[in-house]
Amino acid sequence: MKKIRIDVVGLSHEDVRHRWEEYIKDSIGHRLTLQPQPDNIVDSYAVRARERQLNIGHVAVTDLDVVYQALKGSGRERLQSTVVEFVEQPPVMTVEAEVDQIDSNYDPYDDSAYADWHYDGMSLLPRKLEQMNDLTLDLEDALYSDAPKDEIIELAQTLLNEHMYDASREMTRKRYWLEQQLSQRSEPELQAIARQLREQKGMLMRYASREKVAQHLFIEWPTQLKHKGLDEYHYTYDNRLDELEEQLRAFPHHLYDKFLTDPVDFLREVYYKHVSRRYMFPLLSGIVLMILKGRVSIERWGREGDTEPIKKIKRLAPKLTPSEREQVMKDAIKALLLKKYADGKPIISQKNQWAGFASVLMCDYSLLGDAGCDMKAFCKKMNDWGFGADSSYEIFCDYDNISKDSNYAQIPFHKWSGNGAKHQRMQKAATELRAILRPKIGYK
């Protein structure tokens, strides 16, 4: 029989959340069942720790490998364990389980979802992430070669301070291995570092930790790159941004879309999806590139709804000149006038849909400046741009048609009201135009 030690976290979120302080102090000797949860929506590899009918917490992500390897090696579906230690702040319980065999070669994770995914943009990895792998290898070598204690302590302390910037699957595995190795050393200083690694398990996915990492990855690092100038690294990829953005949107589990929804929560998703370095690093590089190119529109920043980080990210985007801005708008309109549904029917099929364009350009993007929402001025502008009656476009901009729908043309999109086929056509025109302009120009 073999004995393994596993840490349980998340007590403050489960059935004992209102009395976890009392529970953990009386936990030594409690029998817990460690049970995989393949139907867990957040993490399909999650392992629940329960005491009879009470959900106590979950096995720390860093310890999942050894649990699955023990289950595979012993031919079991769940493990019985006993609480042997605990840390109060943040709450972490250590349980011990006896197993017949551990299949250390077993890899529980299925990466088939990534089989067809690729990203061929530039690598823009923060030095912190590049150095993490070297650091862990150096520490591993130091422990194997019985290097001087001071050298091991220096490497371990650096890892302790910096490891949270790397949420890859490889790092979670390495954390468990290092903790086990350090805890078996006789030196009190190394055992103390092992305890700190244990304590941090309860902190890894806390909001404060994720927010700190998000600040570095999505604000501090892009700022450094901007000051250095991207041309020092590779060519700018400006001619392929649409293609690269499509590659990012194709990333499994909708992780790029989750980044756009909330960068702080995105890191939790990366952690719980057990993304390997091979796929996580290109994803992060692509995100940084899109930030620098002004191609991201983030909905919120963390559960507190802090807007300052979002403002900082917006300030990183290059500022278009007025002529460049207008050219983007012209190109967007041209694209939509030619765009068709799958059945071959045009998306812009009636002249009054120009009222939807007018609303977006005048209200969202202040195209006419001080003129505000003057429909005649808008139509003159469109005529100057080559979209008037003298153009080759069948659905051209026409004042008579737009003026009949001033309740759309002169009102911001989010304040529209109505229903029926015409309303749907107006919404389609506006949403399609906004979808093109927002990543390229942002907001007004």
Side-chain angles (χ1 to χ4, degrees):
M1 298 290 284
K2 296 179 180 292
K3 289 185 178 181
I4 57 173
R5 287 196 167 195
I6 302 149
D7 288 330
V8 174
V9 298
L11 278 72
S12 58
H13 300 288
E14 299 296 338
D15 290 348
V16 295
R17 61 184 177 275
H18 298 304
R19 59 181 182 91
W20 68 262
E21 295 97 334
E22 175 188 348
Y23 179 87
I24 201 169
K25 289 178 181 178
D26 188 41
S27 63
I28 302 299
H30 283 220
R31 297 280 294 171
L32 301 184
T33 298
L34 307 182
Q35 182 172 317
Q37 290 183 289
D39 297 328
N40 188 309
I41 296 175
V42 175
D43 178 5
S44 61
Y45 295 101
V47 175
R48 178 165 54 108
R50 61 178 174 85
E51 184 176 7
R52 294 194 177 92
Q53 302 305 308
L54 287 178
N55 293 334
I56 304 302
H58 284 82
V59 169
V61 175
T62 51
D63 298 5
L64 288 176
D65 273 8
V66 71
V67 171
Y68 279 103
Q69 289 168 356
L71 291 170
K72 180 70 162 54
S74 302
R76 302 186 194 178
E77 294 184 358
R78 63 193 67 82
L79 295 180
Q80 300 302 321
S81 64
T82 304
V83 180
V84 292
E85 290 181 29
F86 65 81
V87 174
E88 289 188 51
Q89 286 289 350
V92 179
M93 290 196 313
T94 300
V95 300
E96 190 172 78
E98 284 192 352
V99 297
D100 302 316
Q101 190 65 38
I102 298 174
D103 184 352
S104 56
N105 294 319
Y106 176 62
D107 187 344
Y109 302 109
D110 179 8
D111 283 346
S112 60
Y114 305 100
D116 297 325
W117 185 79
H118 75 284
Y119 175 78
D120 57 358
M122 67 177 73
S123 175
L124 293 172
L125 282 183
R127 288 288 293 158
K128 282 182 184 291
L129 293 189
E130 291 180 342
Q131 292 167 345
M132 286 305 299
N133 189 54
D134 296 337
L135 176 63
T136 53
L137 291 175
D138 290 346
L139 181 53
E140 186 176 347
D141 290 343
L143 287 167
Y144 274 134
S145 63
D146 200 25
K149 180 181 67 176
D150 290 345
E151 179 182 338
I152 296 175
I153 290 175
E154 181 180 356
L155 289 168
Q157 285 289 3
T158 304
L159 178 69
L160 196 66
N161 294 331
E162 302 291 347
H163 76 276
M164 285 189 286
Y165 292 95
D166 186 344
S168 68
R169 188 165 76 217
E170 289 82 352
M171 179 51 65
T172 61
R173 288 173 166 171
K174 189 63 66 176
R175 277 180 55 85
Y176 181 83
W177 183 87
L178 291 172
E179 181 193 337
Q180 298 301 307
Q181 295 295 314
L182 290 167
S183 64
Q184 293 171 18
R185 296 291 293 245
S186 60
E187 299 94 328
E189 298 92 336
L190 299 184
Q191 292 180 0
I193 293 174
R195 284 195 297 273
Q196 285 180 276
L197 284 169
R198 274 191 57 210
E199 292 169 3
Q200 282 193 346
K201 289 178 181 178
M203 298 173 59
L204 284 173
M205 284 297 96
R206 285 193 168 186
Y207 172 78
S209 300
R210 287 184 284 122
E211 205 274 342
K212 179 181 178 182
V213 176
Q215 284 274 356
H216 178 76
L217 292 179
F218 308 129
I219 297 176
E220 295 169 10
W221 176 240
T223 300
Q224 293 177 35
L225 286 177
K226 183 176 181 179
H227 289 163
K228 291 179 181 178
L230 275 180
D231 293 335
E232 293 182 14
Y233 293 81
H234 297 278
Y235 76 94
T236 61
Y237 281 80
D238 285 343
N239 61 329
R240 293 189 57 215
L241 290 178
D242 288 341
E243 177 189 347
L244 295 177
E245 189 171 18
E246 284 302 311
Q247 292 177 12
L248 295 174
R249 289 191 180 278
F251 195 91
H253 312 300
H254 305 289
L255 284 184
Y256 182 66
D257 288 331
K258 288 174 181 176
F259 161 76
L260 296 175
T261 301
D262 182 347
V264 181
D265 195 55
F266 158 79
L267 293 173
R268 181 180 69 92
E269 290 286 328
V270 170
Y271 201 71
Y272 285 140
K273 297 308 178 189
H274 307 277
V275 183
S276 69
R277 277 173 167 251
R278 177 183 176 185
Y279 302 108
M280 185 184 80
F281 285 6
L283 173 63
L284 293 178
S285 291
I287 287 174
V288 171
L289 177 63
M290 292 302 153
I291 289 172
L292 288 167
K293 297 300 180 179
R295 300 285 292 245
V296 299
S297 178
I298 296 167
E299 293 182 19
R300 61 181 286 117
W301 181 276
R303 65 186 181 194
E304 307 300 331
D306 187 6
T307 57
E308 186 56 33
I310 298 176
K311 292 177 182 177
K312 290 179 180 178
I313 288 175
K314 285 183 179 180
R315 288 196 288 268
L316 286 168
K319 298 295 186 291
L320 297 178
T321 65
S323 60
E324 289 173 335
R325 199 167 180 269
E326 287 199 359
Q327 188 60 51
V328 170
M329 295 179 185
K330 291 180 191 177
D331 292 343
I333 293 172
K334 288 179 184 177
L336 289 180
L337 290 175
L338 300 173
K339 189 173 182 179
K340 297 180 179 180
Y341 292 106
D343 61 5
K345 294 181 180 179
I347 287 178
I348 307 302
S349 58
Q350 296 192 18
K351 293 178 183 178
N352 66 353
Q353 284 180 282
W354 274 93
F357 288 173
S359 169
V360 172
L361 295 176
M362 293 192 296
C363 299
D364 285 5
Y365 291 96
S366 303
L367 174 64
L368 301 180
D370 294 338
C373 294
D374 186 323
M375 290 185 293
K376 286 188 176 180
F378 173 79
C379 291
K380 182 180 183 304
K381 187 81 169 177
M382 293 303 103
N383 187 65
D384 294 341
W385 281 7
F387 298 120
D390 295 335
S391 71
S392 60
Y393 295 103
E394 181 179 350
I395 307 300
F396 55 83
C397 183
D398 175 74
Y399 174 75
D400 289 339
N401 281 286
I402 292 181
S403 62
K404 294 176 183 177
D405 290 297
S406 59
N407 57 323
Y408 288 98
Q410 295 182 304
I411 297 175
F413 175 75
H414 67 276
K415 292 185 178 180
W416 286 2
S417 62
N419 51 51
K422 182 174 79 171
H423 184 73
Q424 291 177 6
R425 286 195 299 270
M426 292 296 187
Q427 283 191 315
K428 187 64 177 177
T431 54
E432 289 280 345
L433 185 57
R434 283 156 60 98
I436 296 175
L437 296 181
R438 288 194 169 191
K440 297 182 178 181
I441 301 180
Y443 299 87
K444 67 178 181 179

